Amino acid sequence: MITNYTLLFYLKKPKKYESGPMPIYMRIKVNGKSAEISVCRKASPDRWCSKSHRENGTKDSTKGLNSYLDNLQKLLAEAHLKLMHERKKITALSLKNKFLDRNDKYYLILELFKAHNAEMESMLGVEFEPNTLKGYKTSLGHLQNYIKTKYKKADLEIDRLDYSFIRDYDYYLKKEAKCLPVTVAKYIKHLKKIVNHCLKTKLLKENPFSEYKPKLKIRERDFLTQEQLDRIITREIESQRVEQVRDIFVFCCYTGLSYADVKKLSRNEIVPGIDGEQWIMTTRKKTETSSKIPLLKPALVIIEKYKDHPRCENDGIVLPVLSNQKMNSYLKEIAKECDITQNLTFHLARHTFATTVTLTNGVPIESVSKMLGHLDIKTTQHYAKVIDLKISKDMQALRKILDEQVD
């Protein structure tokens, strides 16, 4: 059975169009269903003929454009003939893919995203953590809703993924999904990972992210002042479990370890350093980078306090860390008891180490970056922007020097 098709060249009006040439698209239609392809050419609306679907005029540029469109029409006819000879089903999409020389295999955005997540799931515990997979699954859900809302489809061909797609998805996440800017940046980053895969495997010829510029403003890192930290340290706590959480939080304030890293910290990772003092020599779970941290006295006191704890002795760990959910729940109790207004979480301890404990006391930012296990010192520089106390101390020292020079 012969399946016929229709071909139409038309001008597609861009969003926020005001004036000037419009992109030319070709629409292939088979049995009521259509597929579109950009011809990578433009034409002025006042010169375009809606009957002939060509540009009017006798200019060389017009003749060249119309000749180009005639050639595309011939190439589509050849693609249609090839499908017939191969006795393959002719649809708008199969004809489009044959025309584009895709060997009848077309790729869908959500299909590729799902394949990525399935591969990630197979690597849990080896290369990825469950929370990472959870984030990508949530990201996939938002992308599904966006495509369904905007395009009224269950999935979309990968070649539809262009700058406009990304820009509108960014807007959707902020406006419709009510995501915070930092969350939007994370989901866009997930999509970019899929795009990079498509670029490397030649599924995409051009990078749709080349013109996209995220508008994320770096949030200032919140942290505890020394006075607030001292308040937590000296607070009398009746509950042994809450006291244990407080101690581990304080330990992280003086070491910069994240929850994941302090939980896995083993006793054999506490070793003599280059200066003969006790150091933490560990590898960050998140980035797998080396982290070497000289232990300060408050941290050493806490290690000594829990050295005989049954869990620490049995498992060879430094501290008896509870689940993240329980730890953060107890931290809220501690914050209330100590009149701490900040949202007391384990990551706040890491911020406090970077600011109050180290940078404010004159530790060079390069050393802080190394101890935190940052891959890029720019990440550490975000902390340096919030240390007014350090600036004040530096300026006081400068005033003293200048005053002595005047005298």
Side-chain angles (χ1 to χ4, degrees), residues 17 26 31 47 69 115 119 154 162 167 171 203 266-267 286 307 311 354 365 378 384:
Y17 172 81
M26 55 189 291
N31 294 332
R47 296 176 60 82
L69 297 180
E119 184 178 332
D162 54 14
R167 180 198 60 198
Y171 178 82
L203 299 182
S266 64
R267 292 185 171 187
K286 181 179 179 181
K307 69 175 185 178
R311 264 195 65 201
I365 194 167
K378 288 180 181 178

Side-chain angles (χ1 to χ4, degrees), residues 135-200:
Y136 272 91
K137 285 184 174 180
T138 304
S139 188
L140 173 62
H142 284 302
L143 195 58
Q144 284 175 320
N145 291 335
Y146 166 67
I147 290 174
K148 185 178 180 181
T149 301
K150 182 173 175 62
Y151 298 93
K152 313 299 180 188
K153 291 185 176 183
D155 208 339
L156 209 63
E157 297 85 11
I158 194 68
D159 60 6
R160 297 285 296 278
L161 210 167
D162 54 14
Y163 166 75
S164 296
F165 180 100
I166 298 165
R167 180 198 60 198
D168 293 345
Y169 181 45
D170 183 303
Y171 178 82
Y172 169 85
L173 289 171
K174 292 172 183 173
K175 187 72 175 177
E176 304 299 328
K178 309 293 183 187
C179 295
L180 294 172
V182 67
T183 309
V184 172
K186 179 177 72 172
Y187 293 147
I188 293 292
K189 186 179 179 182
H190 291 171
L191 178 60
K192 191 173 184 179
K193 185 178 180 183
I194 305 301
V195 166
N196 287 339
H197 167 76
C198 293
L199 289 169
K200 290 174 183 176

Side-chain angles (χ1 to χ4, degrees), residues 205-270:
K205 293 181 180 179
E206 295 182 359
N207 186 357
F209 277 94
S210 60
E211 298 299 322
Y212 173 78
K213 298 291 185 290
K215 297 178 180 178
L216 176 63
K217 292 182 179 178
I218 301 298
R219 292 189 303 170
E220 290 189 344
R221 304 295 201 266
D222 203 2
F223 59 94
L224 296 177
T225 64
Q226 188 62 55
E227 187 275 330
Q228 289 174 315
L229 182 54
D230 290 341
R231 212 187 304 162
I232 292 174
I233 293 171
T234 57
R235 181 75 181 185
E236 289 292 332
I237 297 175
E238 293 183 4
S239 168
Q240 185 179 351
R241 186 61 64 91
V242 177
E243 181 186 11
Q244 179 180 318
V245 171
R246 185 270 309 275
D247 291 341
I248 297 169
F249 176 80
V250 170
F251 179 83
C252 290
C253 285
Y254 282 98
T255 59
L257 292 180
S258 66
Y259 168 80
D261 293 332
V262 73
K263 185 176 182 181
K264 73 177 184 64
L265 187 64
S266 64
R267 292 185 171 187
N268 58 20
E269 290 178 310
I270 308 294

Side-chain angles (χ1 to χ4, degrees), residues 319-336:
L319 295 171
V321 181
L322 306 177
S323 71
N324 198 15
Q325 186 178 6
K326 286 183 178 179
M327 297 286 275
N328 283 323
S329 175
Y330 286 130
L331 282 175
K332 284 179 172 55
E333 289 184 31
I334 295 167
K336 190 175 181 180

Side-chain angles (χ1 to χ4, degrees), residues 4-227:
N4 293 321
Y5 70 94
T6 58
L7 171 64
L8 171 70
F9 291 106
Y10 70 100
L11 301 185
K12 190 170 186 178
K13 188 176 181 180
K15 283 191 173 182
K16 298 181 180 180
Y17 172 81
E18 293 182 0
S19 62
M22 292 184 186
I24 304 173
Y25 275 72
M26 55 189 291
R27 179 183 291 135
I28 307 164
K29 201 167 187 177
V30 178
N31 294 332
K33 294 187 177 181
S34 61
E36 295 179 345
I37 305 172
S38 169
V39 306
C40 302
R41 295 288 189 278
K42 291 184 178 181
S44 179
D46 57 2
R47 296 176 60 82
W48 186 259
C49 178
S50 57
K51 290 185 178 180
S52 65
H53 311 299
R54 299 290 190 277
E55 190 175 77
N56 284 329
T58 57
K59 290 182 178 180
D60 289 342
S61 60
T62 297
K63 290 178 181 178
L65 173 63
N66 290 339
S67 175
Y68 174 73
L69 297 180
D70 290 342
N71 189 48
L72 292 181
Q73 189 168 347
K74 290 177 183 177
L75 290 174
L76 186 66
E78 290 174 8
H80 179 253
L81 193 60
K82 285 179 183 178
L83 285 177
M84 289 176 58
H85 286 164
E86 293 168 3
R87 297 183 177 275
K88 291 185 177 178
K89 185 177 180 181
I90 297 174
T91 65
L93 197 55
S94 68
L95 189 50
K96 171 184 173 179
N97 288 326
K98 186 57 127 180
F99 173 81
L100 295 173
D101 194 24
R102 290 183 178 169
N103 299 320
D104 301 333
K105 176 121 179 112
Y106 61 92
Y107 296 87
L108 302 173
I109 298 170
L110 297 178
E111 187 179 274
L112 289 166
F113 209 125
K114 289 174 183 176
H116 165 273
N117 286 3
E119 184 178 332
M120 179 178 279
E121 191 163 9
S122 70
M123 296 295 286
L124 285 180
V126 179
E127 191 173 339
F128 301 103
E129 295 298 318
N131 278 344
T132 306
L133 175 62
K134 183 180 177 182
Y136 272 91
K137 285 184 174 180
T138 304
S139 188
L140 173 62
H142 284 302
L143 195 58
Q144 284 175 320
N145 291 335
Y146 166 67
I147 290 174
K148 185 178 180 181
T149 301
K150 182 173 175 62
Y151 298 93
K152 313 299 180 188
K153 291 185 176 183
D155 208 339
L156 209 63
E157 297 85 11
I158 194 68
D159 60 6
R160 297 285 296 278
L161 210 167
D162 54 14
Y163 166 75
S164 296
F165 180 100
I166 298 165
R167 180 198 60 198
D168 293 345
Y169 181 45
D170 183 303
Y171 178 82
Y172 169 85
L173 289 171
K174 292 172 183 173
K175 187 72 175 177
E176 304 299 328
K178 309 293 183 187
C179 295
L180 294 172
V182 67
T183 309
V184 172
K186 179 177 72 172
Y187 293 147
I188 293 292
K189 186 179 179 182
H190 291 171
L191 178 60
K192 191 173 184 179
K193 185 178 180 183
I194 305 301
V195 166
N196 287 339
H197 167 76
C198 293
L199 289 169
K200 290 174 183 176
T201 53
K202 309 301 181 184
L203 299 182
L204 280 174
K205 293 181 180 179
E206 295 182 359
N207 186 357
F209 277 94
S210 60
E211 298 299 322
Y212 173 78
K213 298 291 185 290
K215 297 178 180 178
L216 176 63
K217 292 182 179 178
I218 301 298
R219 292 189 303 170
E220 290 189 344
R221 304 295 201 266
D222 203 2
F223 59 94
L224 296 177
T225 64
Q226 188 62 55
E227 187 275 330

